């Protein structure tokens, strides 16, 4: 794979993860368990969708086919999306949403830290700025996981169920393929960054404080980041996300 194609796909992965998770979290707007949580989730969703705009604008520029970030978000079909399966899974109850968010946030901050040292200056600048928001997201989701996991028997039960459900999707975050190798060789991301060891140290410490047990996870769900095997949930997300642009092409407001 040539560098331009790999770089484009890599940027789409970053943008698609943020876009799809942001949309998922936005579904809580007006339905949060408390007013504070409702507002907080809505703001996190806005942060992620703003991040998606940054990465997809960079991707559109790299592709150089007269497409915009809006085109990439609103006019691609499900098999063209490159997000991991974790972010497209249903919200479930509040505990499931928070656990999914924490597992993503812990990875997200590590990736952005590595990207802040990128040789591609636009990537480094974007990552350094986005990391500030992501660190807040991680602080919040980590503390919520601890509070609920080490809370009442019912909240503990729900958080353990959420972890058991979410953890098999974590492995895909660390899968590496030809695209990753190509951009690493060009210095887009720091090759020396051993993300898994730092990630496992982070989640092990947090989940221990939350009195939760990391499941054995004998298998890992994957196929999203290469577009080969998205879950059925992505199609439903895109039906909601894209319907206006599909129904009224070129609509602006």
């Amino acid at each position: 794979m040539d560098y331009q194609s790999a770089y484009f796909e890599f940027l789409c992965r970053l943008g698609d993860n943020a876009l799809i998770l942001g949309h998922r979290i936005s579904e809580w707007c007006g339905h949060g368990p408390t007013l504070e949580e409702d507002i907080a989730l809505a703001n996190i969703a806005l942060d992620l969708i703003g991040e998606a705009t940054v990465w997809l604008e960079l991707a559109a520029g790299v592709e150089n086919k007269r497409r915009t970030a809006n085109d990439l978000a609103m006019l691609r079909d499900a098999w063209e999306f490159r997000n991991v399966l974790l972010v497209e899974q249903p919200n479930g109850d509040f505990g499931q949403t928070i656990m999914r968010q924490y597992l993503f946030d812990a990875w997200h901050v590590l990736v952005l830290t590595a990207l802040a040292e990128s040789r591609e200056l636009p990537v480094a600048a974007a990552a350094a700025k986005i990391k500030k928001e992501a660190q807040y997201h991680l602080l919040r989701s980590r503390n919520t996981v601890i509070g609920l996991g080490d809370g009442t028997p019912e909240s503990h039960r729900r958080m353990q169920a959420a972890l058991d459900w979410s953890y098999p999707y974590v492995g895909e975050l660390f899968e590496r393929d030809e695209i990753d190798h190509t951009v690493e060789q060009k210095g887009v991301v720091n090759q020396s960054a051993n993300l898994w060891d730092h990630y496992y140290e982070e989640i092990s410490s947090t989940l221990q404080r939350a009195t939760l047990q990391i499941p054995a996870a004998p298998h890992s769900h994957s196929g999203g980041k290469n577009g080969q095997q998205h879950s059925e949930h992505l199609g439903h997300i895109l039906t909601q996300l894209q319907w206006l642009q599909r129904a009224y092409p070129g609509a602006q407001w």
Side-chain angles (χ1 to χ4, degrees), residues 22-31 45 89-91 237 240:
H23 181 80
R24 265 294 183 228
I25 298 172
S26 75
E27 294 174 342
W28 275 101
C29 188
H31 301 281
Q89 299 309 305
N91 288 326
I237 291 172
Q240 296 180 338

Side-chain angles (χ1 to χ4, degrees), residues 148-159:
L148 292 175
D150 193 30
T152 67
E154 177 64 11
S155 70
H156 174 85
R157 181 189 68 79
R158 285 177 178 253
M159 293 306 291

Side-chain angles (χ1 to χ4, degrees), residues 88 230-237:
E88 67 192 45
H230 284 291
S231 69
E232 69 275 16
H233 305 298
L234 181 61
H236 295 294
I237 291 172

Side-chain angles (χ1 to χ4, degrees), residues 5 20 22 38 43-44 48 60 74 93 127 129 136 139 141 154-155 172 186 193-194 203 211 214 225-226 237 239 243:
S5 298
I20 299 303
D38 196 294
N43 278 291
I44 292 171
L48 287 167
M74 301 299 177
D93 63 16
K129 182 177 181 180
Y136 167 74
L139 176 64
S141 62
E154 177 64 11
S155 70
E172 187 182 15
K186 293 292 186 178
N194 191 341
I203 67 169
T211 67
I214 297 177
K225 67 183 293 185
N226 56 25
I237 291 172
T239 298
W243 76 268

